[in-house]
Amino acid sequence: MDFKKIISSTHNYNFHSHTQFCDGRADMETMARAAVACGMEHYGFSPHSPLIIPSPCNMDASAVDDYLAEVRRISSIDSLSSCRFYASMEIDYINNEWGPANSYFRSLPLDYRIGSVHFIPSQDGEYIDIDGRFERFRTNMEQKFRGDIDYVVETFYRQSMDMVRAGGFDILGHFDKIGQNASAYAPGIEEGSHYRSLVGQLIDMIIERQLTIELNTKARSEHGRFFPGERYLPQLVGAGIDILVNSDAHYPDRICASRDEAFAILDGIYATA
């Protein structure tokens, strides 16, 4: 995928979305028609990948063929021909045995792969979802992580850096997502030197490897934030990192959510870089 060519020619793209094959709230054709209606020229489906641990939000391996066939079917519909559709997955990095670099994912006919961290091991070795609603996160903090937010943050960033070292993905997904729930649990944690050091180490790896990242707009309207946070964008832009503006849409009416605002912020940074 030549993302650089696409982002230099249009803003009418979205490479991160979810449908009935995982935790999305609409079927693929409904999402595709909504994408066309809002002027998309490039649109990627990226269901949460099959996993080796239980998860109600991830697609089952048995559904992969049906998913790929549905991408092909949608791509053949004449009334949707103004937009190019892509088959992708948002692949969870669990460990070096299961993540974007795994041979299973490399064997699938995907147009690109998003690498993300949603699960980290507890102190007892049980993999726990640290994404999603804060109420569940808070419960897991007390019941699964012994109330140790430093452990959770350190493990999230260590796992993210392990994923970067392993490779196998084309887009790095919402790389500081833990900040949202961590800050709700421990206000001010993102301002601390230790947290900033962990993010800085990951950003250094992103820059060293010249990775393509996303500016994820999903949480802007509800939580007032992007992933990564705006404070990190000048450094990434200055280092020449390709940044895709993705809405991580789970609903058809959120395909374009906060994207115009994200582009305006990026354009302002590019203008002064």
Side-chain angles (χ1 to χ4, degrees):
M1 284 283 297
D2 191 349
F3 292 115
K4 186 183 292 291
K5 183 177 180 180
I6 291 172
I7 63 179
S8 66
S9 63
T10 183
H11 285 178
N12 296 325
Y13 64 79
N14 187 14
F15 291 106
H16 191 160
S17 69
H18 300 280
T19 65
Q20 81 272 23
F21 283 96
C22 57
D23 61 347
R25 297 297 188 263
D27 62 80
M28 286 175 62
E29 184 171 340
T30 298
M31 295 292 279
R33 293 194 179 281
V36 168
C38 66
M40 289 293 167
E41 300 171 32
H42 301 271
Y43 192 81
F45 297 105
S46 54
H48 292 289
S49 68
L51 276 180
I52 54 174
I53 58 176
S55 169
C57 296
N58 290 65
M59 74 185 305
D60 191 87
S62 63
V64 171
D65 287 345
D66 288 342
Y67 159 64
L68 295 171
E70 184 66 355
V71 177
R72 292 192 295 269
R73 186 188 74 82
I74 286 170
S75 297
S76 70
I77 297 174
D78 287 343
S79 59
L80 300 176
S81 62
S82 60
C83 182
R84 181 173 179 181
F85 295 96
Y86 302 87
S88 176
M89 285 185 187
E90 184 178 15
I91 303 171
D92 278 289
Y93 179 87
I94 301 299
N95 52 40
N96 281 335
E97 300 299 317
W98 195 258
N102 184 277
S103 60
Y104 168 71
F105 295 112
R106 304 308 299 172
S107 72
L108 296 177
L110 301 174
D111 295 303
Y112 62 92
R113 296 157 181 83
I114 301 173
S116 296
V117 172
H118 298 95
F119 299 83
I120 65 169
S122 70
Q123 294 93 327
D124 297 323
E126 179 184 2
Y127 278 86
I128 305 297
D129 186 356
I130 48 75
D131 195 15
R133 293 292 179 183
F134 175 67
E135 291 74 17
R136 182 180 64 178
F137 179 85
R138 180 172 53 197
T139 298
N140 284 336
M141 280 299 306
E142 303 308 319
Q143 296 182 357
K144 304 293 185 179
F145 294 115
R146 307 174 191 172
D148 191 343
I149 191 62
D150 289 335
Y151 169 84
V152 169
V153 168
E154 290 166 5
T155 304
F156 175 87
Y157 282 110
R158 182 176 68 246
Q159 194 153 315
S160 297
M161 288 185 271
D162 287 345
M163 180 177 69
V164 168
R165 292 186 188 98
F169 58 88
D170 303 287
I171 303 171
L172 180 60
H174 47 59
F175 71 73
D176 66 342
K177 189 93 186 280
I178 190 61
Q180 179 175 305
N181 278 332
S183 288
Y185 187 80
I189 191 172
E190 290 181 273
E191 308 307 319
S193 60
H194 185 50
Y195 186 97
R196 297 290 290 273
S197 174
L198 291 168
V199 179
Q201 292 175 52
L202 179 55
I203 289 175
D204 287 344
M205 294 180 71
I206 291 169
I207 292 172
E208 179 185 0
R209 289 164 172 77
Q210 286 292 289
L211 302 179
T212 296
I213 69 168
E214 69 171 4
L215 178 55
N216 188 302
T217 67
K218 177 184 176 182
R220 186 66 167 186
S221 61
E222 184 176 357
H223 298 287
R225 63 187 301 156
F226 293 121
F227 305 110
E230 293 174 58
R231 69 178 65 179
Y232 307 119
L233 295 176
Q235 181 183 3
L236 293 161
V237 168
I241 296 300
D242 289 334
I243 302 174
L244 301 168
V245 176
N246 290 332
S247 69
D248 195 353
H250 288 63
Y251 298 82
D253 62 348
R254 300 182 189 177
I255 287 174
C256 294
S258 301
R259 293 178 75 257
D260 287 344
E261 184 180 358
F263 280 119
I265 290 169
L266 278 178
D267 288 346
I269 297 171
Y270 284 122
T272 59

